[in-house]
Amino acid sequence: MKVQVATLVLSDQAYSPFTLHIHDDLRGELLGEGKDLQDELRDRVARHLKRRLGWVPWFFFVMEDSDVYGDPTRPHAHGSILIPRVSLDRDGVKVPRRWTNAVSRMGRDQAELLEGRRVVRAALKAAAGIAGGRPKVALSSGIDQSRNVWFRRKPYHTVFNTQWVDYAFKNTKRASQTLGDNRLVMVNGLRAEAERLWELIRKGESALASWDLGGSAESQLEAEAA
């Protein structure tokens, strides 16, 4: 329920579901150092987003390492992430011509969402370990890593996406040798806004009396961007 409400919050902006596999060689490095895969992936996603955007868009993901039959699979995350509008006129950044050409056809807001999607996808790929000189075919497993990040083709505004959330949690009750019991990662800003929305759903307008109007979704994002 917490994640369903968080999805409602994301849908007020624009968001995309994603699936992310950690590069097999990177996973081996992290486990060899005794690192927690879930925490490391969270930190890597946040770091690469901030490096490209200057701030961290809201996101959540759920980790799993087994398939629907309970057989082990490569550890991976299913989640959703806010897609920000990103300027097409940033200094020193080469923007795909198809986005700039799209301004007259679909408007600047939509074109900037497409650029935001491109930037976020690049950050997720870097977080997965695909960048940074690691080979396309992992040395440790011989598996092609080029499809380690799956992303929707365009910004996503659907309010209800229960099938995706249910799918993300499908194997969280199964025991794992590499993952903890709590498989959910949600950044604090999104968690707080989801809690606010849930209070509004439960209590109605009386919940507004306890709200800090400076803590709205838009002002939180502006603060993080600053």
Side-chain angles (χ1 to χ4, degrees):
M1 178 62 72
K2 181 188 300 181
V3 178
Q4 296 287 10
V5 175
T7 300
L8 291 176
V9 172
L10 289 174
S11 71
D12 188 50
Q13 309 284 325
Y15 74 98
S16 283
F18 67 88
T19 296
L20 187 157
H21 285 76
I22 302 172
H23 192 292
D24 291 351
D25 293 345
L26 173 60
R27 185 178 76 249
E29 295 169 14
L30 295 175
L31 292 176
E33 295 171 2
K35 301 290 183 64
D36 181 278
L37 292 180
Q38 186 166 295
D39 289 348
E40 287 296 315
L41 183 57
R42 175 200 63 209
D43 293 347
R44 288 178 64 87
V45 169
R47 184 166 64 251
H48 284 285
L49 286 168
K50 190 168 186 178
R51 183 175 298 168
R52 288 163 174 77
L53 295 168
W55 60 291
V56 180
W58 289 341
F59 67 87
F60 71 82
F61 63 76
V62 182
M63 293 287 292
E64 69 173 9
D65 61 358
S66 62
D67 62 19
V68 293
Y69 304 105
D71 296 324
T73 62
R74 300 160 61 208
H76 58 282
H78 299 294
S80 291
I81 187 167
L82 184 145
I83 303 297
R85 292 197 301 270
V86 175
S87 172
L88 306 179
D89 305 313
R90 309 191 307 285
D91 291 338
V93 177
K94 184 178 181 180
V95 174
R97 184 177 296 275
R98 61 185 180 278
W99 294 169
T100 55
N101 290 344
V103 171
S104 60
R105 187 174 70 255
M106 63 177 61
R108 178 163 289 272
D109 283 354
Q110 288 299 313
E112 289 183 344
L113 277 175
L114 290 172
E115 173 63 3
R117 176 194 174 279
R118 185 184 72 85
V119 173
V120 168
R121 187 173 187 272
L124 293 182
K125 291 181 69 173
I130 298 174
R134 292 187 180 86
K136 178 180 176 182
V137 176
L139 299 176
S140 58
S141 65
I143 296 174
D144 189 333
Q145 309 292 300
S146 60
R147 298 196 178 192
N148 278 12
V149 175
W150 172 89
F151 215 61
R152 290 191 64 90
R153 294 186 60 184
K154 58 184 179 180
Y156 196 82
H157 290 273
T158 299
V159 174
F160 294 106
N161 194 7
T162 56
Q163 296 91 341
W164 179 246
V165 175
D166 289 345
Y167 183 78
F169 278 91
K170 66 184 181 300
N171 292 324
T172 53
K173 299 300 183 183
R174 290 197 172 101
S176 167
Q177 294 183 349
T178 58
L179 303 174
D181 293 333
N182 181 12
R183 312 286 176 80
L184 172 65
V185 166
M186 186 182 297
V187 294
N188 290 334
L190 179 57
R191 187 185 301 274
E193 194 65 13
E195 290 173 354
R196 283 157 52 92
L197 178 56
W198 179 240
E199 285 299 294
L200 182 61
I201 292 170
R202 288 198 313 116
K203 298 180 180 179
E205 291 187 4
S206 63
L208 298 176
S210 63
W211 281 20
D212 173 8
L213 296 181
S216 67
E218 289 184 359
S219 61
Q220 285 185 37
L221 290 175
E222 289 171 359
E224 292 176 18

